[in-house]
Amino acid sequence: MEQSTQAGLFTRRFGPPPREGVPNVVLVHGLGLSGRYFVPLARRLAVGGATVFVPDLPGNARSRAAARRAPRVGELAGALTRWHRGLGVGPSLLVANSVGCQVVAAFAARQPHLVRRVVMIGPALEPGAGGWRQCGRLLADAPREPLSLLGVAVADYLVTGPFRFVASFRHALRDAAESFEGHLARVAAPTLVVRGAGDTIASRAWTRRVARVVGDGRTAEIRGAAHAAHYSAPAALAALIEEFTSGGRA
């Protein structure tokens, strides 16, 4: 793994240096977190020959100083665009978890030429579900995740800070109510929507709806995993992604 700062964002890179002919993957984390919980999946994908980039979004974790306040979802998508252009790579496979799916939906809707395919893992937040209900779903999911993930998440939340976390949560709720589905409808790239079978945050009905709203969507479910399937079941998810990118139906 190599670490650097690109366009103001702390970035991890796995696999070979970016070059023409080598597929590149961008992993986008969820609310208040860092890219650390994507490391198991990044390593699996890099073994397959891909160049994998894992940024910390502005205002979060090691990119906290990149924003003076908690950015809105659209601002995060704009920062991701500037960061991606700075990499100088071609269209990417974008893989996102939770609220990161809202960021990627906005990014893909605005910058379709930078997107090869999209994978959404446990897309959140679900429109129509209020803040307290979403918090209840998050608390219900916590016991279903590996203890090591909870340690990573708590450390990241502390670095990001409680005030920024709350502000980011409010921004994400507003985006879910006003913009998320509209952005999804403008995603033209083939999209795989994945959920862990034990996910209490992204329901089966909602993930199926996401797959119907995007232009070319399909779904998959991973047994024995919850909201962060990329962390608890990286091998299973990497296999789904590899099948999906090779043209399979997952």
Side-chain angles (χ1 to χ4, degrees):
M1 178 180 71
E2 293 190 6
Q3 301 178 355
S4 63
T5 299
Q6 302 285 341
L9 302 186
F10 178 81
T11 304
R12 302 161 186 83
R13 196 202 80 208
F14 300 80
R19 62 182 184 272
E20 188 175 352
V22 176
N24 72 88
V25 184
V26 175
L27 308 183
V28 181
H29 63 77
L31 187 71
L33 295 163
S34 75
R36 287 197 301 156
Y37 74 152
F38 264 120
V39 169
L41 177 62
R43 287 175 173 159
R44 294 275 181 172
L45 295 174
V47 167
T51 300
V52 185
F53 298 99
V54 192
D56 287 2
L57 295 176
N60 293 269
R62 296 182 71 172
S63 294
R64 190 181 191 280
R68 297 182 63 181
R69 55 175 175 76
R72 294 175 173 84
V73 170
E75 293 171 328
L76 292 173
L80 190 64
T81 300
R82 293 188 293 274
W83 171 85
H84 191 282
R85 287 175 175 165
L87 292 177
V89 298
S92 299
L93 165 64
L94 294 168
V95 181
N97 171 241
S98 196
V99 172
C101 297
Q102 294 179 228
V103 177
V104 163
F107 176 91
R110 299 171 183 176
Q111 309 293 337
H113 59 289
L114 298 180
V115 182
R116 184 162 55 92
R117 291 184 180 235
V118 176
V119 177
M120 296 186 177
I121 310 160
L125 300 168
E126 183 177 344
W132 289 111
R133 185 179 177 188
Q134 300 282 12
C135 288
R137 290 177 174 182
L138 177 62
L139 291 173
D141 184 77
R144 303 178 181 218
E145 304 288 359
L147 284 176
S148 56
L149 173 61
L150 300 182
V152 169
V154 169
D156 285 347
Y157 291 150
L158 289 174
V159 174
T160 297
F163 295 108
R164 285 201 179 197
F165 178 87
V166 171
S168 296
F169 183 54
R170 289 173 176 166
H171 293 330
L173 283 171
R174 179 172 297 177
D175 179 81
E178 299 176 358
S179 306
F180 190 16
E181 288 190 278
H183 290 150
L184 288 170
R186 293 167 57 194
V187 175
T191 300
L192 175 63
V193 187
V194 183
R195 72 181 294 270
D199 190 345
T200 63
I201 298 171
S203 68
R204 181 178 290 118
W206 167 239
T207 54
R208 288 177 175 173
R209 177 173 175 80
V210 170
R212 289 196 300 269
V213 171
V214 299
D216 181 6
R218 62 211 74 177
T219 62
E221 193 166 273
I222 298 178
R223 295 181 182 179
H227 190 57
H230 56 283
Y231 185 91
S232 58
L237 183 55
L240 281 174
I241 291 173
E242 288 165 4
E243 181 181 0
F244 174 58
T245 55
S246 67
R249 296 294 300 178

